[in-house]
Amino acid sequence: MPAAGTLIAPGDAWSLWTVLIGVAAICIVLEQKNRIARTLTGPVLALFGGMFLSNFSVVPTDAPTYDAISEFVIPLAIPLLLMRMHILRVIRETGRLFVVFHLSALGTVAGGVVACWLLHDRIQHLAGIGAAMIASYIGGAINFVAMIEAFKPPEELASAAIVADNAVMALYFLVLIALPGIALVRRFFPETARSRAFRGENAEGGAAAFWKPKPIALLDIAAVLAIAFLITAAAVKLAAWFRASDFPPLVREVCGQKYLVLTTLSIMFPLLFRKTAEKLAGAEELGTFCIYIFFVMVGVPASFREVLVEAPMLFVFCGIILLFNFLFTFGLGKLLGYELEEMILCAVVSSGGPMNGAAIAISKGWSALVFPSVLAGIWGYVIGNYLGFAGGKLLERLFG
């Protein structure tokens, strides 16, 4: 019998890997094939899958396998997702949305600070969750993962944050989607010649190009994994060197943070080796699968009761952050003369990632904004870790 009283023993690495990867795969299939699962989102399904397995004593809540995932799988996801992202191209082709996106990001940071100020006495370890939510509401799941690993908030709190995040984000999307049809909103943000031009003829070119199935050869898998391992190993060694150096404390703290070094090296690769990066295939798919494995693992230590206890206050926490995201996006966007459509899509991609922005742009017929919204969301992946880490350190200093 397993020492922990579970069906699978903590030392049974093969069975644990099989279960974790199997649950991640099932969640991806469900998200792509089932409408209800798509509404819940794959990460939430993966989280609840992990919770179900541990709460019903199938897997242990602690095992060396989980440490291996944190040490190897999660860091590898960052270069896999960023190694083809040429930031100069993103900046050049995003256009006006590039500026509006930063208004949304500024609102997210301000909302994170205000939310922690209001709730830090009611939710323990809120600085770490605040860092993760700031990073997530600027970038996406990869940034949430990196900040959770960097600040190490309790697993139950991280699990509850994922549930609250997705629930509040779904409500936020409903509000944003409804805005163009509200007469009062249109009084403040009237249609213009520019906004009508967003309904161009290049209907789904950008999104179709981004989403189309890609041929992936054995050579591609070998190349992206080799590059990802090289970048990750270099980042880990470089961060350790900075931590052990005689540099000033601030330099050691920032440059010794492996996820910031890892992000920097990952975005430098396509800048230095542009042609090689453009030829790579399969990196995003492998990186996304790593993230799903993480979400299964994050659900394992959490109990249903603890998540239900923690989640209600985290609903409020996430709601405050998105309220400020909304106010900064539409308030400053109005002052700077941006169109309602541009502001809606930047609020969507900052809170929910590039694919949600593209999907809403397509559904609304804003064809000229499809690809720029994808690129704006991708830019969020780049800056999310930096701003999340800075925000988390600020929150620790202010609220402990």
Side-chain angles (χ1 to χ4, degrees):
M1 288 292 292
T6 55
L7 183 62
I8 299 174
D12 189 353
W14 276 107
S15 296
L16 285 175
W17 276 107
T18 300
V19 168
L20 293 172
I21 290 176
V23 171
I26 290 169
C27 291
I28 291 173
V29 172
L30 289 174
E31 186 181 35
Q32 294 192 7
K33 302 291 185 181
N34 183 273
R35 181 175 58 83
I36 297 175
R38 192 178 305 119
T39 302
L40 290 173
T41 75
V44 171
L45 290 174
L47 169 75
F48 279 116
M51 289 175 62
F52 179 88
L53 291 172
S54 62
N55 280 258
F56 288 91
S57 300
V58 177
V59 300
T61 57
D62 188 34
T65 297
Y66 308 150
D67 297 331
I69 291 172
S70 296
E71 187 167 354
F72 299 105
V73 175
I74 302 312
L76 281 170
I78 293 177
L80 286 169
L81 290 169
L82 297 182
M83 68 171 61
R84 297 183 67 248
M85 189 181 301
H86 196 291
I87 59 173
L88 296 181
R89 175 176 174 258
V90 170
I91 294 170
R92 183 174 61 250
E93 297 186 13
T94 305
R96 286 164 53 93
L97 261 66
F98 187 75
V99 176
V100 189
F101 179 84
H102 289 85
L103 303 180
S104 300
L106 181 62
T108 293
V109 175
V113 173
V114 172
C116 282
W117 173 58
L118 293 173
L119 300 174
H120 71 279
D121 288 333
R122 307 192 67 173
I123 305 175
Q124 298 296 314
H125 309 285
L126 198 53
I129 291 298
M133 293 315 306
I134 288 172
S136 178
Y137 283 155
I138 292 173
I142 181 60
N143 307 97
F144 179 92
V145 169
M147 291 304 102
I148 289 294
E149 288 297 305
F151 287 89
K152 302 291 185 185
E155 291 91 345
E156 298 83 2
L157 199 60
S159 301
I162 296 170
V163 175
D165 166 26
N166 282 270
V168 175
M169 188 170 61
L171 294 174
Y172 190 45
F173 283 177
L174 291 176
V175 171
L176 293 172
I177 292 169
L179 289 180
I182 301 174
L184 181 62
V185 172
R186 274 302 181 190
R187 286 181 58 187
F188 288 96
F189 303 96
E191 279 195 341
T192 65
R194 178 185 287 123
S195 66
R196 286 189 287 272
F198 292 149
R199 299 174 175 83
E201 296 179 358
N202 55 332
E204 296 184 19
F210 195 88
W211 283 337
K212 69 180 180 182
K214 309 178 191 76
I216 301 174
L218 177 61
L219 179 61
D220 296 314
I221 297 173
V224 297
L225 286 177
I227 293 167
F229 270 89
L230 178 62
I231 292 173
T232 305
V236 170
K237 299 292 185 182
L238 188 58
W241 179 77
F242 271 107
R243 285 196 303 272
S245 69
D246 294 327
F247 288 110
L250 181 61
V251 175
R252 291 202 304 270
E253 183 176 17
V254 174
C255 297
Q257 170 51 243
K258 73 175 180 181
Y259 286 100
L260 298 187
V261 178
L262 190 50
T263 301
T264 303
L265 294 185
S266 298
I267 62 177
M268 284 177 61
F269 177 79
L271 289 173
L272 298 174
F273 306 100
R274 180 176 58 85
K275 291 184 178 179
T276 301
E278 289 174 352
K279 294 176 182 178
L280 296 175
E284 293 93 342
E285 290 80 0
L286 289 169
T288 301
F289 192 59
C290 289
I291 296 300
Y292 274 79
I293 296 171
F294 168 82
F295 279 118
V296 179
M297 186 192 76
V298 141
V300 167
S303 72
F304 287 112
R305 183 187 63 80
E306 288 171 334
V307 167
L308 290 174
V309 168
E310 296 284 0
M313 287 308 301
L314 286 169
F315 284 128
V316 178
F317 180 75
C318 293
I320 292 171
I321 297 176
L322 290 182
L323 173 62
F324 275 79
N325 177 287
F326 181 91
L327 293 175
F328 274 64
T329 302
F330 292 90
L332 295 178
K334 173 66 175 177
L335 289 176
L336 295 175
Y338 288 97
E339 304 296 337
L340 178 65
E341 294 82 357
E342 294 170 321
M343 291 180 274
I344 288 173
L345 290 178
C346 283
V348 168
V349 298
S350 64
S351 59
M355 293 302 98
N356 285 305
I360 289 175
I362 291 169
S363 69
K364 290 290 188 180
W366 303 332
S367 55
L369 295 179
V370 173
F371 198 52
S373 68
V374 171
L375 292 177
I378 288 173
W379 175 249
Y381 290 160
V382 174
I383 65 173
N385 284 348
Y386 300 115
L387 294 179
F389 182 78
K393 288 299 179 182
L394 175 63
L395 295 175
E396 283 184 338
R397 185 176 295 272
L398 292 176
F399 309 114

